Amino acid sequence: MTQEDDVAAFEAMRPMLLGLAYRILGSRAEAEDAVQDTFLKWQSADRSAIENPASWLTTLCTRRCIDLLRAARNARVDYVGAWLPEPIHASTEGEPGERLSLAASLQTAFLLVLERLTPKERAAYLLHEVFDVSYPEIAATLGLQETTCRKLVSRARANVAQSKVRHTTPLDRQEQLLAAFQTAVTSGGTEQLSALLSDEVELCADGGGKVPTLREVLRGRAEVLEFVGRALHAYWGDYTWEATDINGGRGVVLWKDGSAVACVSFAYDEQGAATNVYIVRNPDKLGRLGEGGGVAPGDGGGGVAPGGAGEPG
């Protein structure tokens, strides 16, 4: 293969690798670093000794992501306030079957459930359940016995199933909630929003210690409505609202003076009531929202070839 062919082979795999890396790490920035590290290894490798480039690249990227995830988890122990995944532009609208399932696996609630898994459980589950990689291939990727990989996936599957986060909410319901949330913030009136919330709804905000925001999680309809209708109404009144697709669902990015200052997304139960409101205000996680793109919903479908104080919110 020529150098151009080698680059083309890698670029054909890049969307799948980026999608896998983001789901493992919960960070687009770290996912891009993992994919770039994989590319550099690919450039320096003896390609004549690589029988299956897709499998080789997936293995290398997965192992790099596991290393990065372990380091990230150590850093998250000292994270200020709630930690939320970096929001990305990704939609489920009009997506058929397999691509819809891939997009649903980008939802914030799903990614937060994955945070409870060990790094190898997370990687094994995503490879098998989301990217349709066989157990023998996963075993080779993780350097484990096939039976061990089956146990990893089984434990992860049970954890995810118990949380009931792998489902999609009708688009019209999402639009209804988003409109009610915006009305509550801009006018202070929470009647419409109240009817769409679960009794046990929770609201959390990620400022990363970089901007003033909530440090504690608000729980229950009354607390959440009080915060949205009073605090956010007072502080977010001069922001510009942009409804958009965030992590496989409808959300909103708020702008001020040309910069994204907040991103809001939601989670729902199987009846369509909102169970969570996620607010990201950490500027390190908002800078790429103005770039467009993101992790495509259908990235790599079908798997790989075998072988505090101040402003709240």
Side-chain angles (χ1 to χ4, degrees), residues 30-313:
E30 292 174 357
E32 290 173 344
D33 287 344
V35 173
Q36 182 62 20
D37 290 344
T38 303
F39 176 65
L40 295 176
K41 292 282 189 180
W42 170 251
Q43 282 191 311
S44 61
D46 178 9
R47 258 89 69 186
S48 65
I50 299 174
E51 295 183 6
N52 190 321
S55 179
W56 190 92
L57 290 168
T58 300
T59 295
L60 195 66
C61 186
T62 300
R63 291 179 178 178
R64 180 57 179 150
C65 286
I66 289 173
D67 290 341
L68 290 174
L69 181 58
R70 286 170 174 156
R73 286 189 165 179
N74 291 333
R76 288 171 195 172
V77 171
D78 300 321
Y79 198 84
V80 178
W83 179 92
L84 292 172
E86 180 180 351
I88 59 168
H89 288 294
S91 171
T92 61
E93 181 180 2
E95 298 291 350
E98 186 177 6
R99 287 173 59 81
L100 181 62
S101 176
L102 278 163
S105 69
L106 293 169
Q107 293 175 3
T108 300
F110 175 73
L111 296 176
L112 288 174
V113 170
L114 295 185
E115 283 291 302
R116 302 203 293 261
L117 308 179
T118 68
K120 287 190 176 180
E121 282 177 341
R122 186 166 182 166
Y125 176 83
L126 288 168
L127 286 168
H128 189 264
E129 298 291 299
V130 177
F131 291 92
D132 197 28
V133 178
S134 68
Y135 282 114
E137 185 75 9
I138 296 170
T141 294
L142 299 182
L144 300 172
Q145 296 294 320
E146 183 178 335
T147 54
T148 301
C149 292
R150 289 181 181 273
K151 291 178 182 178
L152 291 175
V153 173
S154 178
R155 287 198 298 265
R157 187 190 294 126
N159 200 318
V160 172
Q162 185 177 18
S163 301
K164 298 181 180 180
V165 293
R166 287 208 69 182
H167 60 84
T168 57
T169 303
L171 182 61
D172 58 351
R173 183 68 168 186
Q174 296 183 49
E175 294 282 10
Q176 188 180 7
L177 176 70
L178 185 57
F181 181 81
Q182 183 170 357
T183 296
V185 173
T186 55
S187 72
T190 60
E191 294 81 5
Q192 293 178 351
L193 181 61
S194 178
L196 300 174
L197 300 182
S198 163
D199 291 340
E200 294 80 29
V201 64
E202 296 184 356
L203 182 151
C204 65
D206 178 347
K210 306 293 180 68
V211 296
T213 191
L214 281 173
R215 296 289 181 89
E216 72 280 2
V217 177
L218 299 182
R219 294 182 170 87
R221 182 186 284 122
E223 281 200 40
V224 170
L225 291 175
E226 174 73 13
F227 178 75
V228 173
R230 290 185 179 272
L232 294 189
H233 172 59
Y235 285 103
W236 287 13
D238 60 344
Y239 290 169
T240 299
W241 290 63
E242 179 194 6
T244 186
D245 295 311
I246 298 293
N247 285 77
R250 295 297 287 166
V252 62
V253 179
L254 294 105
W255 301 82
K256 185 175 183 180
D257 299 328
S259 298
V261 292
C263 176
V264 185
S265 59
F266 308 93
Y268 305 83
D269 62 23
E270 293 172 303
Q271 288 71 47
T275 58
N276 298 84
V277 181
Y278 304 113
I279 300 174
V280 176
R281 284 184 37 81
N282 184 341
D284 293 343
K285 298 183 179 183
L286 297 174
R288 293 173 175 79
L289 285 176
E291 298 174 3
V295 179
D299 39 8
V304 298
E311 177 185 352

